[in-house]
Amino acid sequence: MEQRILSLLVDNTAGVLSRISGLFSRRGYNIDSLTVGETADPRYSRMTVAVRGDDLVLEQITKQLAKLVDVQDIKVLKAGESVNRELILVKVRTNAEQRRNILGLVDIFRANIIDVNPDSLIIEMIGTVSKLDAFLNLLEGIEILELARTGLTGLSRGTEDVRYL
């Protein structure tokens, strides 16, 4: 199964997220990641949706999304032709002995410590999904108390396919 990342330019109106997520649930498609935010023009929002499926399913998803009135533009964010990032916040239990190792990992991965307590740290990290997963794998043996992931967001590189409304 292939993953496809779609960047949708949608009307910034009530119910748009519900209509789009409803399209996925009605057809039995799963959303791996979904982020939404207002664009520079407050009339529109940008949705980044990561989905998995074979070529037929992924084409069907794209065609169904294009039929929705609220969807103004759809781009497939291809590897190498786009920039994709995700943010994680991870709270780990730590003691004085583990703290030095954790700080070393944070430095190597260019993450940030955003909260320090005697028995825990909160680490903020932005990067590609593979970078974040690699960091989390290296935390093996350290108790993760809480983890929050924002989901993917991204834009295509260059100006060739920018849509002005």
Side-chain angles (χ1 to χ4, degrees):
M1 279 197 169
E2 175 189 348
Q3 183 180 56
R4 185 170 291 172
I5 301 169
L6 303 172
S7 179
L8 311 174
L9 188 63
V10 299
D11 294 334
N12 188 11
T13 56
V16 173
L17 177 59
S18 177
R19 285 187 286 283
I20 290 174
S21 62
L23 180 145
F24 282 85
S25 65
R26 281 190 306 276
R27 287 163 179 77
Y29 303 141
N30 189 39
I31 297 173
D32 291 343
S33 172
L34 172 68
T35 59
V36 185
E38 191 175 272
T39 65
D41 184 340
R43 296 176 299 164
Y44 303 103
S45 290
R46 175 145 333 263
M47 280 187 177
T48 307
V49 184
V51 294
R52 284 189 193 282
D54 58 31
D55 285 336
L56 183 62
V57 167
L58 295 173
E59 283 305 312
Q60 200 56 244
I61 289 170
T62 305
K63 287 177 183 176
Q64 293 296 321
L65 286 168
K67 289 180 184 180
L68 296 176
V69 174
D70 300 310
V71 176
Q72 301 302 318
D73 189 38
I74 301 173
K75 291 181 195 171
V76 177
L77 299 181
K78 297 177 183 172
E81 297 176 16
S82 64
V83 177
N84 301 301
R85 295 291 184 266
E86 183 175 6
L87 162 76
I88 61 169
L89 297 176
V90 59
K91 184 188 297 183
V92 296
R93 185 179 309 278
T94 185
N95 55 37
E97 180 181 307
Q98 291 174 320
R99 200 172 296 254
R100 178 172 285 127
N101 293 337
I102 294 169
L103 292 175
L105 283 174
V106 165
D107 188 45
I108 289 168
F109 280 86
R110 295 187 184 127
N112 296 305
I113 303 290
I114 57 172
D115 185 62
V116 178
N117 281 287
D119 60 349
S120 69
L121 297 171
I122 297 179
I123 303 162
E124 170 194 64
M125 192 162 125
I126 300 168
T128 63
V129 172
S130 60
K131 177 183 175 182
L132 301 182
D133 289 343
F135 176 76
L136 293 173
N137 287 335
L138 289 174
L139 289 179
E140 190 173 302
I142 297 168
E143 184 181 358
I144 295 176
L145 300 171
E146 292 182 282
L147 174 67
R149 295 183 86 141
T150 60
L152 278 173
T153 192
L155 293 172
S156 59
R157 296 181 185 272
T159 59
E160 295 83 39
D161 64 350
V162 174
R163 177 149 182 211
Y164 299 100
L165 299 174

